[in-house]
Each structure stands twice: as structure tokens, then as C-alpha cells.
Amino acid sequence: MSEEQRTGWIVGATFAALLALSAALMAAFNHSVHVADAFTRKDEREMVDRYLEGRVRTVIIGQTGQLVWDETMRHAVARTDTNWMDRELGMFPWTNQGAQETMLVEPDGTLVRGWRQGHYDPAYPYGPLRWQVEAALDLARSNRRISGAMARFERRGGTLWPVDRRGAPLTRWASSLIWRGGRPMLLTVAAIVPDRDYALLKAEPRYLVSLRVMDSQVLRALGADLLLPDFRFVSRAPRDPALNILARKSADGRPVGYFVWTAQLPGPAIWQAAAPLLATWIFLFLAVLAGGVMIVRRMRDTTRHLQASEAQAQYNALHDPMSGLANRLYFAERLRGELDIVIAQRAQGGQGDVFVAYIDLDAFKTVNDTMGHHVGDELVTQVAQRLRDGLLRTDLIARFGGDEFVVMRRTTGGLGAANALGRQVVGLMAEPFIISGHSLGVTCSCGISWGPGQTEDADELLRRADISLYRAKQGGRARYRCYTNGMEATERLARELELELRRAIAADELEAHFQPIVDLSTWQIEGFEALLRWPHPQRGDIGPGVFVPIAEQCGLMVPLGTWMLRRVFTQCRNWPACDLSINLSPIQIMAHGFVETIQSLVEETGISPRRVILEVTEGVMLDRSDNVAQSLRTLQGMGFRIALDDFGIGYSSLSYLRSFQFDRIKIDRSFVQNIEADHDAQSILGAIVALGQTLRMKVVAEGVETELQRRLVHAAGCELVQGHLFWPALPADQACALLTRNAADRMRQVI
Ligand code: C2E
Ligand code: CA
Ligand code: CA
């Protein structure tokens, strides 16, 4: 887990804990409020209950004057003085005690006499009441409610009755709520007992039953006492949770109705009181949460930023910024790693090699020098893209700087696989590159080595690929070479020659030799091709085929070419009339200021440009922009003729002939040498000569060594020839001497 994740976890857990704690606190608080509410409800109910009980007790106590009185006792037993009873048990309770109805009943509930609103009612509707009265009597008898402090029960006549300390019987009573005529009423029953002559109590006494209406007025008065403004009595319990309810049962336990009032709960008040505190808490919680989130986010951003820049730095350290390919460091590291893996696999009986292809563009320096660095940069980018697109996804491609690319491929197959890789790489550059409107035919050379088949050392592997590349370059453009053991010595020699060549140019040790070009129609020497010679003091003569490529690669070609032009122009300006062909390296022509150089050489030496034929190879046509063609046209304008050299090898095609108005085409030696065996070559030569005539280009056959070749090229229409059949390249004095002699005679002698 990363540091960032860990912090995230800790902060997250803290918040979760904080949140849980807050929720628990809230729940606890809410629960307490509920509990407080419940307690309050219960308290209210108890208060109401006690209060109502007190009210009933007050009613009973209010009646005590009638109930606990020898007089009433006697009348109730005798029942003879109805006037007395009507006055004391009917009218008095109605007028003084608010009893709408009263009844005198036997202990078994039988009605003795009933009064309504103070008056005796002979048809008193006792029927519907009776069971309620009987239930109330049972309740009263069950001893629960006794007015006055009870000391004991005493048997008085036929009954066991409660008496106080003095022996005075106590009135037993009970109450219940009933519905009568759709109105709630308080029903009370109370025993009639003597107050002095206790002996009057001989059997269970009679009871006085009273009914008092609990109308809204009464209830309102009760509510005012209880400080419950909406106190009321209803037959069905309401569902409103804001209300508090006290259920009432009749004396025999049946539900009668409910006292209902708005509960004076503390909950809302508590919430209200706690609100600022809660709000503060929530605010603080949110603030802490927001702060935490911000901190985590900031941390995460910072970490990401750091990681990104770290990754970027690491990427930069291992990649080439221009091409986006791996750099030398990364490549070397991976190469070592892959080699180790393959070596380990081989030890287990595995197969395979790590192949390294060292790639170098053939004319990069020329492109850079002649077209500018931005074109060079774009070329590098496009080459990188081609390699990426064209090679295997598993290949590692690197740029070592400049126009040097290196590819690493892991596969089996030894030399065969190396050849395949080389062909693939070279093939990828076959199509021209399009850069800022220019079409550049840039090819590449490639050197390949592999290990552990050839060597187990990564550095050595790279070095050998580099040597192979060098050899491929020497062989010409668009070639690849696979490393062989013999290369080592040759490569060493090349490095030595490079140093010595510099010295030789500086010491003017080189020479120009001249090979005659013969006109077969006149048998005259028509001109000479000037060829570089290097008589090396220790190594003997070294041919231009060896040192010209070295000069081209190490940047010596321009000074060497200029040296050669000056030498030829100087040596030949006084020769009898003849043409002089001079080879130009593409590097020379593309070099900045070449036309000016040659111009100043003409002025310096006084040679006539009309005598001079400049030989260029198709390599110069690689810049398909107008630059080279423009230079060549300028040179033609100055009087020089231009020959296309080495025609018939490599990528030569007839299309080159149409791309520029050459004055000559020189058929390559290898083509001429094929002509004896290959009939197609003959007819192709015929076609080239015919095309040359159409395009007004003379055709020269090079390297004619045999009489048969001479005949065949002549038969094909070629009139100018050069080759060992006539003369090899000769030192300047000998060539000049040839001219002054009757060359034609000499030739007839030779042939
Ligand atoms: P190239 O321009 O094709 O020159 C002709 C080459 O063919 C010369 O080789 C010449 O000696 C050789 N040759 C001519 N006739 C025969 C023949 O019948 N048989 C055989 N086997 N060879 C024949 P050389 O002198 O070794 O030059 C090799 C190449 O070096 C030239 O090929 C040319 O590309 C380059 N080179 C020579 N001198 C110069 C120079 O002053 N500047 C430049 N840029 N390149 C030069
Ligand atoms: Ca030539
Ligand atoms: Ca040639």
C-alpha cells in the first residue's frame, strides 16, 4: 500500500469513526428525549389519575353529611318517611352537591327510591343502570375505598364492616364513569352508616348512588385545575401521538372511555435547547470533514504530481526526447538483461539469441548540411516512426543520437534471422520521405550481430554490430551486413586508413590517374576519366574503392574532391584537345557552395568547362527537390557536361534518365561484364542506348575487358568505351603522351 493510500485509509477511518460517534450520540440523545417524553406521559397520567381520584374523594366527603348520620341510617332502614328521604337524599344532593340523579339502593343493588334533578321519580329508569350500580357496589365492598382511616373490620350483626379506632363504622364507597344518554357521568356509590349510634349498623347498610354529569364545562374546569386546556373525555382513543391518554374502565372492568389532553412533553423543548449545540456540532463536523477531504486531496494531488514528475524524469532519463525511442542507457541496460535471460535459458537447453541491428542513415549528414537541421530532425522523427510501425512490437528500438538507431530483437535462427532483420530494416527505408514538401530518397545501412551465439558480452555485441554497419556502408547504400569474424581486421584497417588519409591529403600524397575513353567509330581517344590514386608509402597503392567511402564517412570528401578537381584542372589544362571526366561524390554536390567552389577553380586554373564531364551517381538524385538538379543545371550553364555514372546497378532505373537532362550515361562495369552471358543484358543495353539517343545522351560502356564485350556493346549501339581492353588508368604523363602520339595506330596494334 502506498503512503498516499495509507493516509487516505487513516483519514477515511477517522471520519467513519467520527461519523459513527456522531450518529450514536444523536441516537442516544434522541432516545433520551423519547424516554423523557415517555416518563412525562406517565407522570401526567398519574397526576391526572390522582387528581380525578381526589375529586371523587371530595365528592364523597362532600356527601358525608348525609351518608354518615344516624338520621339517614334510620330513614334508609325504615323507608317510611318519604318526605324526609325526598328532601335529604333527592333535593339536597341536587341543589347543594351537583348530583343530577340519586338513588337509594339495597346492598344487592335493588332500587329503593330514585330522584332526578332533586325530585322523586316513581318511574326512575334504573334498568340500564343496574349492572353498573351492582359492579360499583362490588367494588366498594372489595374494601379498596374507605373514607377515613380504617382500624379493623368488625362484625356488626350480619356484616363484617370496617371501623375506625373509636369503633365508628366507615363509609365504603366506589366510583366509576358511565355513559348515560350519550353523556359521560360520574357514578358514585357510598354506604350510609351511623355517626353516633353505631348499634344502628346491624346488617350491610344501604347505599346512596349519585350521578354527576361530566359535561364539557366540568371537564374544562378540571382541565383548568390540571393546567391542561384541552382536557376532555372521549369514548374512543385518538391516535395522535401528541396527545396523552388515560383509559378508564367501568367498575366491572369494561373500557368506558378515555381522558385525553395534549401532552406537555419536554422533547421539543429539549431539542430546541440543544439545537444551537447540535448545529455547532454539525458545523464543526462538516468543517473538519471538508478540511480532511481537502488535506487528503491536496496530499493526493501532490503525490500524483510527484509520481508523475518522477515517472517523467525516469522516462526522460531513458528515452530520446526527439524520437521518443529508448536511449543508449536504457538500451544497454535492457540488452544486458535480455542476454542474461537467454544465456540462462540456454543453460536449461533453450535456444535463441539476442540480435542487435545498428542502423545509420546513408545521407543524413548531407540532408542536414544541405537542407537544414529542421529537415534533419523531421527525418529522424519519421525514421523512428517507420521503425516503430514496421518492426515487431517486441523489438526494442533505440536512438543513440544523430542518425544512429539500434534495434534489439530476441528470436531464434542465427544467421537466417539476422538476414531477415537486416532486410526488414533496409526495406523500411525504401520509400522516400516527404519532409516540408521535399521528397527525400534516404536509405539506411545496417549492421547486425547476435549473442550469445557470437559473443556473450553486451558491449562487444554492440561494437560488432557497429563494425558490421561500417562494412555495410563501405559496400554502398541501402545495405546490411551481418557480423563475421574477419570484419575485425578490416575495420581496424579502415580506422587506421582514415587517419592516414587525412595526413596524405595534407601531404599531397595522392595522385590523379587517367583512363582513356575510346570512340569506337573513329578509334580515337575521345577523353579520359580521372581516377584517384593513393600510393601509400607503406601499404602500397590503395584504390579509391577503399578510401573514397572512408573519406565520405569521415567528412574528408569535400576537401578530397576539391583537391582532385584542382589537380585535374591544373594537370590537364595544357593537354591537347580531349574530354576530361571527373567523378563527383554526392556529398560534394550537395555541400554548400559547391558551384562557387568549382567556379573559382575554373578561374584559378583557367580550364575550359566545355572539356570537363562531371560524373555523378544516382545517389545525388536522392534529393528529389530541385537543389541538386539546380546546381547541375547551373554547371551545365557554365559549360560543364554531366554524366550519370554507374548506370545499371543498385536502384538505377530508367526514370532517372528522365529526371534530368544528362549529357552522358555510363553503363556500369558489372553490367558490361554480364553482357557476354546474359542475352537480356544485351537487349537492355540496346534499349538504354536507344533511349539515350532519343534524350540526346551519349552512352559510355565501362570496364570493357574483352573483345567480345567490345563487339557486343558496339553492336548495342554504344560508341564510347573504356576498359582494360584498351588501357587501365594511367599516370598523368603517360596519358598525356598517349594523346600526342597517333593513338589510333597504337590501338590497332593493341587489338
Ligand atoms: P568508377 O567511376 O566506376 O570508375 C571506374 C572504375 O573502373 C575505376 O576503378 C577503373 O580503374 C575501373 N576500371 C576501368 N576499366 C576497367 C576494367 O576493364 N576492368 C576492371 N576490373 N576495372 C576497370 P577505380 O579507379 O578503382 O575507382 C573506383 C571508384 O572510385 C570509381 O568508380 C569511382 O566511383 C571512385 N573514384 C575514383 N576516383 C574518384 C574521384 O576523384 N572522386 C570520386 N568522388 N570518386 C572517385
Ligand atoms: Ca566514374
Ligand atoms: Ca562507373
Side-chain angles (χ1 to χ4, degrees):
M1 198 191 285
S2 74
E3 187 66 28
E4 177 198 349
Q5 277 174 321
R6 207 170 14 243
T7 320
W9 270 103
I10 291 170
V11 173
T14 311
F15 282 133
L18 212 57
L19 198 68
L21 181 70
S22 308
L25 275 174
M26 271 329 211
F29 184 74
N30 193 36
H31 183 68
S32 325
V33 169
H34 268 94
V35 169
D37 281 353
F39 272 117
T40 307
R41 278 173 195 273
K42 192 162 155 273
D43 283 353
E44 277 188 344
R45 280 197 298 272
E46 277 171 12
M47 174 192 76
V48 169
D49 198 31
R50 266 199 309 275
Y51 170 79
L52 291 174
E53 167 124 20
R55 289 303 299 235
V56 174
R57 201 179 283 274
T58 311
V59 167
I60 301 296
I61 289 167
Q63 287 183 325
T64 319
Q66 268 82 23
L67 294 171
V68 186
W69 191 17
D70 290 354
E71 199 74 355
T72 318
M73 184 75 193
R74 269 186 217 105
H75 282 289
V77 173
R79 288 184 293 174
T80 45
D81 190 345
T82 52
N83 282 339
W84 189 95
M85 284 198 291
D86 290 346
R87 193 179 64 242
E88 293 299 331
L89 300 180
M91 191 52 76
F92 188 82
W94 156 243
T95 50
N96 293 300
Q97 293 164 348
Q100 270 83 6
E101 297 178 36
T102 46
M103 288 146 269
L104 182 66
V105 297
E106 298 284 355
D108 67 352
T110 312
L111 178 72
V112 178
R113 201 172 174 86
W115 299 270
R116 283 170 25 130
Q117 301 190 330
H119 297 285
Y120 166 60
D121 182 356
Y124 185 78
Y126 183 59
L129 262 185
R130 178 163 185 158
W131 66 270
Q132 315 239 37
V133 173
E134 280 176 7
L137 289 173
D138 283 346
L139 199 61
R141 268 194 293 267
S142 69
N143 264 348
R144 276 185 32 232
R145 287 175 173 166
I146 291 162
S147 189
M150 187 191 76
R152 61 187 176 276
F153 277 85
E154 268 184 14
R155 185 156 291 279
R156 296 280 170 91
T159 186
L160 194 62
W161 200 257
V163 296
D164 68 6
R165 261 184 213 92
R166 293 174 293 130
L170 300 169
T171 184
R172 310 184 83 172
W173 61 275
S175 74
S176 90
L177 284 168
I178 63 162
W179 291 92
R180 188 163 168 81
R183 294 187 300 173
M185 295 188 113
L186 176 67
L187 177 146
T188 56
V189 298
I192 297 167
V193 291
D195 63 325
R196 285 205 183 99
D197 185 2
Y198 306 149
L200 287 174
L201 183 70
K202 291 195 176 72
E204 185 176 357
R206 301 216 160 81
Y207 288 82
L208 183 68
V209 180
S210 7
L211 291 176
R212 285 172 177 77
V213 173
M214 301 272 293
D215 60 10
S216 53
Q217 208 183 330
V218 175
L219 285 165
R220 217 176 297 130
L222 291 178
D225 278 1
L226 287 165
L227 300 175
L228 301 173
D230 59 344
F231 191 72
R232 57 197 185 272
F233 188 76
V234 293
S235 57
R236 250 187 224 155
R239 293 203 177 275
D240 187 349
L243 298 176
N244 204 351
I245 296 167
L246 181 64
R248 288 279 96 163
K249 287 178 179 161
S250 67
D252 65 344
R254 292 188 225 184
V256 177
Y258 306 87
F259 286 104
V260 172
W261 65 95
T262 304
Q264 310 286 305
L265 298 179
I270 296 175
W271 277 112
Q272 214 169 1
L277 213 69
L278 285 174
T280 313
W281 170 259
I282 289 170
F283 175 77
L284 278 177
F285 180 78
L286 287 178
V288 169
L289 190 75
V293 166
M294 244 159 67
I295 290 171
V296 169
R297 204 174 268 180
R298 176 75 58 85
M299 258 173 58
R300 199 187 48 198
D301 287 354
T302 317
T303 321
R304 284 211 184 131
H305 193 74
L306 272 174
Q307 277 172 347
S309 51
E310 222 168 85
Q312 186 64 46
Q314 199 172 355
Y315 182 89
N316 289 347
L318 298 177
H319 289 82
D320 165 52
M322 188 194 291
S323 61
L325 299 175
N327 65 12
R328 189 189 291 268
L329 187 75
Y330 183 47
F331 187 91
E333 211 169 89
R334 281 283 307 277
L335 177 61
R336 253 185 290 275
E338 294 288 312
L339 256 182
D340 286 348
I341 292 170
V342 174
I343 290 168
Q345 283 175 344
R346 284 197 168 204
Q348 310 272 310
Q351 285 185 326
D353 277 295
V354 181
F355 292 79
V356 172
Y358 221 111
I359 304 163
D360 187 290
L361 302 184
D362 290 326
F364 184 67
K365 195 175 169 343
T366 317
V367 170
N368 245 347
D369 291 351
T370 59
M371 307 188 69
H373 285 278
H374 63 285
V375 175
D377 288 355
E378 176 60 24
L379 178 61
V380 164
T381 313
Q382 287 195 19
V383 168
Q385 195 53 47
R386 280 202 193 175
L387 291 173
R388 254 196 297 258
D389 293 346
L391 294 174
L392 304 181
R393 282 212 2 226
T394 44
D395 292 341
L396 176 67
I397 310 167
R399 178 177 175 235
F400 279 14
D403 60 338
E404 275 178 56
F405 297 87
V406 189
V407 174
M408 177 175 81
R409 172 176 292 181
R410 226 175 101 180
T411 184
T412 52
L415 181 62
N419 281 319
L421 177 57
R423 262 195 307 277
Q424 194 179 14
V425 166
V426 170
L428 284 175
M429 308 300 147
E431 290 284 310
F433 292 84
I434 312 292
I435 297 167
S436 41
H438 301 286
S439 172
L440 298 182
V442 176
T443 53
C444 76
S445 302
C446 173
I448 300 155
S449 69
W450 59 95
Q454 290 188 331
T455 171
E456 292 195 353
D457 183 83
D459 292 337
E460 178 63 14
L461 204 53
L462 269 170
R463 204 181 64 79
R464 291 184 177 189
D466 192 18
I467 292 170
S468 316
L469 169 66
Y470 191 82
R471 291 303 302 274
K473 286 241 159 204
Q474 284 180 326
R477 297 180 299 112
R479 275 163 224 252
Y480 69 88
R481 289 288 295 270
C482 299
Y483 180 82
T484 58
N485 289 328
M487 280 184 182
E488 204 85 24
T490 326
E491 198 264 340
R492 207 175 307 119
L493 176 68
R495 302 286 175 220
E496 288 168 13
L497 283 183
E498 181 186 324
L499 290 174
E500 289 168 17
L501 182 61
R502 279 178 203 281
R503 192 188 45 74
I505 296 169
D508 210 20
E509 275 177 21
L510 299 169
E511 290 174 7
H513 280 206
F514 298 87
Q515 185 176 33
I517 298 170
V518 177
D519 186 343
L520 290 181
S521 61
T522 59
W523 293 94
Q524 295 287 328
I525 291 177
E526 183 263 358
F528 296 91
E529 177 176 8
L531 294 161
L532 265 168
R533 289 293 176 264
W534 183 9
H536 193 282
Q538 286 89 39
R539 300 184 197 271
D541 290 351
I542 302 177
V546 175
F547 68 85
V548 165
I550 295 175
E552 283 180 331
Q553 274 169 40
C554 67
L556 279 173
M557 195 58 234
V558 173
L560 181 61
T562 309
W563 177 91
M564 181 66 167
L565 285 166
R566 179 180 279 118
R567 168 60 61 96
V568 175
F569 287 0
T570 319
Q571 279 185 334
C572 309
R573 63 187 152 190
N574 297 321
W575 286 8
C578 71
D579 290 340
L580 291 166
S581 293
I582 304 177
N583 293 287
L584 293 182
S585 157
I587 288 176
Q588 274 177 283
I589 307 164
M590 292 183 194
H592 191 70
F594 174 68
V595 174
E596 288 77 10
T597 304
I598 209 163
Q599 174 85 57
S600 67
L601 283 173
V602 168
E603 285 161 16
E604 178 189 320
T605 58
I607 190 119
S608 162
R610 306 211 167 272
R611 295 181 62 188
V612 179
I613 300 164
L614 299 173
E615 295 190 0
V616 300
T617 54
E618 68 204 8
V620 300
M621 303 316 288
L622 151 176
D623 177 9
R624 299 191 190 167
S625 70
D626 241 16
N627 289 355
V628 165
Q630 191 56 51
S631 298
L632 295 181
R633 268 192 287 274
T634 310
L635 291 170
Q636 276 178 328
M638 287 162 65
F640 291 105
R641 278 168 289 167
I642 309 293
L644 179 63
D645 202 359
D646 296 349
F647 193 81
I649 55 159
Y651 292 89
S652 316
S653 78
L654 294 175
S655 69
Y656 280 125
L657 298 180
R658 295 189 184 277
S659 66
F660 183 80
Q661 180 57 55
F662 292 103
D663 300 285
R664 274 189 182 185
I665 310 165
K666 295 192 77 173
I667 306 296
D668 191 66
R669 197 173 77 217
S670 58
F671 194 93
V672 170
Q673 269 148 21
N674 265 347
I675 211 165
E676 290 174 332
D678 187 348
H679 286 281
D680 283 350
Q682 272 179 60
S683 33
I684 292 170
L685 182 61
I688 294 170
V689 173
L691 182 67
Q693 278 164 357
T694 319
L695 297 172
R696 286 173 283 115
M697 298 177 187
K698 283 195 172 172
V699 179
V700 185
E702 283 188 311
V704 175
E705 289 181 346
T706 64
E707 176 57 18
L708 179 58
Q709 286 167 5
R710 184 195 64 79
R711 276 179 215 272
L712 287 172
V713 297
H714 200 185
C718 198
E719 304 222 306
L720 296 175
V721 288
Q722 136 186 28
H724 291 174
L725 176 64
F726 305 98
W727 287 281
L730 304 167
D733 49 350
Q734 289 181 32
C736 184
L738 265 186
L739 271 179
T740 48
R741 266 191 261 154
N742 186 338
D745 291 348
R746 162 102 166 96
M747 258 186 298
R748 282 195 194 93
Q749 273 175 17
V750 171
I751 299 163

